[in-house]
Amino acid sequence: MDLEQAMQTFLEESRELLDEMESILLDVEAEQTSSEQLNALFRTMHTIKGSAGLFGLDPIIRFSHQAENLLDQLRDGKLKLDDELVGLLLRCHDHVKLLIQALAAGDSLEVLSDEALEAALLGYLTVPQAMQPPAREAPPPAASRPERWVLSLRFGPDVLRNGLDPSSFIRYLATLGTVEPAQPAAQAEPHAPPPPETAPAHGEARAGRGGESRFIKVEAGKLDSLINLIGELVIAGSAANLIARRSQQPQLVEATLGIANLIEQIRTGTLSMRMVQIGEIFHRFPRVVRDVSRELGKDIQLRIVGAETELDKSMVEKLGDPLLHIVRNAIDHGIEPTEVRQAHGKPAQGKLWLNAYHESGSVVIEVADDGGGLDRGRILAKARERGLLGLDEEPPDNVVFQQIFEAGFSTADQVTNLSGRGVGMDVVRRGIEQLHGNIEIDSEAGQGTTFRIRLPLTLAIIDGFLVEVAASIFVLPLEAVIECIELPAGLPENGVHDCINLRGELLPLLHLDSFFELPPAAALRRNVVVVQYGERKAGLVVDALQGEFQTVIKPLGALFNTLKAISGSTILGTGEVALILDVPSLIQRACRRESERFALPPRADSTPRPGAPLQGNTP
């Protein structure tokens, strides 16, 4: 029996139960409490206590038993789940979570006792002292217990393989009383219900009489290793396909195409195994909003939309900190105090939204609020003061709002526990850029602000589109390619940038050979690859189109960190290295020149208003 594996199972299941408990407590604050919710709350602590008993974890057993007693009175109707009690149960959740974390780290549990919390629990309890959990060293004698219980345990055939020791149940029960042999079968109750069906082994869920649906928990490292191997398989398959085409042997070409099709299916299936719902991190924020808003004395309601949207697990894990900064910033600076909202005719309760959805092969995550919005005048004045923008420069709103992501940028009048030191938003942008994404800001004075994050679906393997520029091969993400057209003949070029009329739409162009300072090639025909990211489009002028290509993304070294137009590299079938172009950066560069060319005159309201609130600072 592998006790270490059983312990890891206990830790993981305890974390899941605690997440469920926190979610229920935060839900019942805004809704009417149901009996199902109360029963689910009781089961979380009851299950953790029972599982802890298998390992003799006395500190967890004692505390969870006290919390279980409180939850038992709650579901029996002896207590009412008001705001104060919800706060106490959340403190109980935090304490058990702290014990679980200490257990996972190998730290002592005895030093983590919280006497103030235990006293608060005892203040709520109305059960007699006899119902308190007895000490393991001195179990009460059997004669003092007027009731006798008959317990029936039936284990599955794989119980030992799953790391559970049946005898541990007996040992744990012996700490609560005297265990006596069961009565013979001829003395059993004549109307006893039939034994339940043997429960499925851990990790297996029954889908119905027609069949079973099995689930296996796989270590993330093993899955990452599999993804890397499939990436190498994609590269090897491309090399084999190239050799087959050059050989001009139809049978060999057909065989390699079949293998390539199978590799693509394996790639798609394996990548889907790494996709998880973004709700995994969204569900952390109801507690954050509750605690921070109460600390600031604000009434804020959080709404979550699109929690089922899937994203690569490696990216989900790295999104927690950037989203935390934005959410706390929206609570502190974005949403006004209650009296200010009422003075402006707005509802006393502020609203905060977390939204996620798929768009053009990307995942879009939005954090929006109905607060006061960003103050363009104050941001512009601070940016000019720090030399980030010229004194005579009058950039558009999106350029001004991006200044809040500069390191040390802050317009707060005072430093608080949450913000004002000018750090935090630069961490947000840096974290998003490391995931090959970008962040945009839409804000309207008095109405609110929306932070919009766009991310690729995965950072491992993508469908690419090969283009040739001055005898060099580049890769574009296929999801960003809208169409390909021939460059109109005789089009005058204005340096690196110019534009064309694409069916009534002004399309800015970016000549990649001039942009990368490559020697021009003597191409008889040049092409325009129309790419899109979000709502923006641009045309990339190339010499030749090479077609689709399964692209294994290889990170670039630290030497290339400053290249904004390159997002990575890949290996072609010939063994050569091709650079993967950063489409959002290229579109931004193509559109910026056109925006500056047709810039509007300075706005009359660019002078900062003293005392106006500003969003843009987090710790």
Side-chain angles (χ1 to χ4, degrees):
M1 180 180 64
D2 190 351
L3 289 178
E4 180 61 28
Q5 181 179 355
M7 175 61 73
Q8 293 303 319
T9 301
F10 164 69
L11 294 174
E12 185 172 349
E13 290 182 345
S14 297
R15 296 187 188 103
E16 294 175 356
L17 289 169
L18 290 172
D19 289 342
E20 179 185 0
M21 178 182 180
E22 184 179 51
S23 177
I24 294 174
L25 289 173
L26 295 174
D27 286 342
V28 298
E29 281 192 300
E31 303 175 0
Q32 186 175 0
T33 308
S34 66
S35 59
E36 294 182 1
Q37 290 174 319
L38 297 179
N39 289 331
L41 282 175
F42 176 82
R43 285 194 300 269
T44 57
M45 279 297 165
H46 180 74
T47 304
I48 291 176
K49 183 192 75 170
S51 300
L54 302 179
F55 300 95
L57 303 173
D58 289 351
I60 298 180
I61 296 172
R62 288 194 300 268
F63 183 83
S64 59
H65 186 88
Q66 292 180 352
E68 181 188 33
N69 284 339
L70 180 61
L71 291 169
D72 189 32
Q73 291 194 28
L74 187 62
R75 68 173 183 169
D76 288 343
K78 298 178 181 179
L79 294 174
K80 181 181 179 181
L81 190 59
D82 54 14
D83 186 71
E84 182 180 355
L85 185 54
V86 168
L88 177 61
L89 290 175
L90 285 173
R91 290 174 59 193
C92 293
H93 161 276
D94 295 344
H95 184 66
V96 177
K97 187 175 183 179
L98 183 64
L99 292 172
I100 295 298
Q101 291 174 346
L103 180 64
D107 299 333
S108 173
L109 304 184
E110 299 291 345
V111 298
L112 297 177
S113 61
D114 191 333
E115 297 181 357
L117 179 57
E118 293 179 4
L121 276 175
L122 292 177
Y124 266 94
L125 293 176
T126 59
V127 294
Q129 187 66 28
M131 293 187 62
Q132 297 299 322
R136 290 172 57 91
E137 293 76 14
S144 65
R145 299 177 61 88
E147 295 181 314
R148 304 178 70 182
W149 296 81
V150 178
L151 302 180
S152 176
L153 298 178
R154 291 176 174 84
F155 300 97
D158 296 330
V159 61
L160 296 179
R161 292 193 185 97
N162 293 329
L164 293 179
D165 181 8
S167 62
S168 62
F169 288 89
I170 307 300
R171 291 195 298 269
Y172 173 64
L173 292 175
T175 65
L176 304 178
T178 301
V179 178
E180 300 178 356
Q183 295 179 346
Q187 302 180 21
E189 297 182 10
H191 299 291
E197 183 181 1
T198 303
H202 174 71
E204 176 183 333
R206 300 208 169 175
R209 183 174 296 180
E212 295 182 349
S213 175
R214 300 181 63 89
F215 296 91
I216 301 176
K217 296 179 180 179
V218 181
E219 184 183 353
K222 294 181 179 179
L223 194 56
D224 292 339
S225 177
L226 178 60
I227 295 291
N228 292 334
L229 290 175
I230 291 179
E232 297 301 322
L233 181 62
V234 169
I235 295 174
S238 299
N241 191 20
L242 178 63
I243 294 174
R245 291 201 309 268
R246 289 178 176 176
S247 70
Q248 298 184 350
Q249 298 182 25
Q251 293 181 343
L252 182 58
V253 172
E254 183 178 356
T256 54
L257 288 177
I259 294 174
N261 183 39
L262 291 174
I263 292 175
E264 184 175 358
Q265 295 182 38
I266 294 173
R267 182 207 70 173
T268 303
T270 307
L271 288 178
S272 67
M273 295 168 60
R274 273 211 330 198
M275 306 296 284
V276 297
Q277 294 186 355
I278 202 169
E280 182 176 306
I281 55 172
F282 273 11
H283 292 155
R284 304 176 188 174
F285 290 100
R287 179 69 183 278
V288 174
V289 174
R290 177 190 186 275
D291 293 346
V292 176
S293 61
R294 297 193 179 200
E295 179 182 347
L296 297 174
K298 298 181 180 181
D299 183 11
I300 299 176
Q301 180 185 15
L302 174 65
R303 295 182 180 179
I304 295 178
V305 182
E308 69 282 357
T309 304
E310 291 188 337
L311 188 63
D312 193 301
K313 181 174 178 61
S314 62
M315 302 178 70
V316 169
E317 294 172 346
K318 298 176 182 178
L319 272 175
D321 285 344
L323 287 179
L324 177 62
H325 282 296
I326 297 176
V327 168
R328 295 180 65 180
N329 188 68
I331 298 172
D332 192 12
H333 290 281
I335 299 179
E336 315 95 324
T338 303
E339 59 274 11
V340 175
R341 293 178 63 87
Q342 291 177 331
H344 288 84
K346 302 173 71 172
Q349 184 183 64
K351 290 184 173 57
L352 186 65
W353 291 270
L354 280 175
N355 185 22
Y357 55 91
H358 289 125
E359 181 183 87
S360 302
S362 303
V363 173
V364 181
I365 303 171
E366 293 180 340
V367 182
D369 64 70
D370 67 343
L374 298 181
D375 190 321
R376 170 190 164 91
R378 294 192 67 191
I379 298 175
L380 184 59
K382 188 67 175 181
R384 286 171 173 170
E385 177 186 329
R386 297 188 56 192
L388 300 174
L389 295 174
L391 295 178
D392 299 330
E393 189 176 357
E394 197 66 32
D397 287 348
N398 62 328
V399 176
V400 175
F401 294 156
Q402 286 290 324
Q403 303 307 309
I404 69 174
F405 295 113
E406 296 295 330
F409 191 93
S410 175
T411 60
D413 296 326
Q414 60 183 358
V415 176
T416 67
N417 292 333
L418 295 177
S419 61
R421 301 184 185 275
V423 294
M425 297 307 287
D426 60 320
V427 176
V428 170
R429 183 172 63 179
R430 187 163 58 249
I432 298 302
E433 289 178 348
Q434 288 176 353
L435 297 175
H436 303 293
N438 71 340
I439 183 169
E440 304 168 353
I441 303 176
D442 291 334
S443 183
E444 184 176 352
Q447 301 300 316
T449 303
T450 299
F451 288 84
R452 188 173 295 108
I453 301 171
R454 297 182 186 273
L455 298 167
L457 286 174
T458 180
L459 297 177
I461 306 174
I462 63 171
D463 290 321
F465 187 78
L466 296 181
V467 296
E468 183 177 344
V469 180
S472 299
I473 302 298
F474 295 93
V475 181
L476 294 168
L478 185 61
E479 295 286 355
V481 177
I482 304 300
E483 60 178 314
C484 298
I485 61 175
E486 184 177 354
L487 182 68
L491 184 70
E493 297 186 14
N494 181 11
V496 177
H497 300 269
D498 53 286
C499 56
I500 61 173
N501 186 339
L502 180 64
R503 296 184 293 275
E505 180 182 3
L506 187 65
L507 183 72
L509 297 182
L510 181 66
H511 293 257
L512 292 183
D513 54 358
S514 300
F515 179 77
F516 289 116
E517 299 181 358
L518 298 174
L524 298 178
R525 169 184 172 182
R526 308 189 77 188
N527 301 273
V528 177
V529 182
V530 182
V531 293
Q532 180 176 2
Y533 190 75
E535 299 179 354
R536 293 184 175 183
K537 290 183 180 179
L540 305 180
V541 181
V542 301
D543 295 334
L545 308 175
Q546 300 288 352
E548 298 182 16
F549 177 74
Q550 291 189 49
T551 305
V552 181
I553 300 178
K554 299 291 185 180
L556 295 171
L559 181 63
F560 302 93
N561 286 342
T562 58
L563 295 180
K564 297 299 182 182
I566 305 297
S567 61
S569 63
T570 188
I571 301 176
L572 303 176
T574 59
E576 298 175 329
V577 175
L579 297 177
I580 303 173
L581 298 180
D582 184 359
V583 171
S585 177
L586 293 175
I587 293 178
Q588 182 181 11
R589 290 169 185 262
C591 295
R592 182 183 301 170
R593 181 68 176 270
E594 300 304 316
S595 299
E596 294 174 352
R597 185 180 301 176
F598 302 102
L600 297 176
R603 290 173 40 166
D605 60 345
S606 60
T607 303
R609 303 191 308 273
L614 170 71
Q615 177 172 338
N617 309 285
T618 56

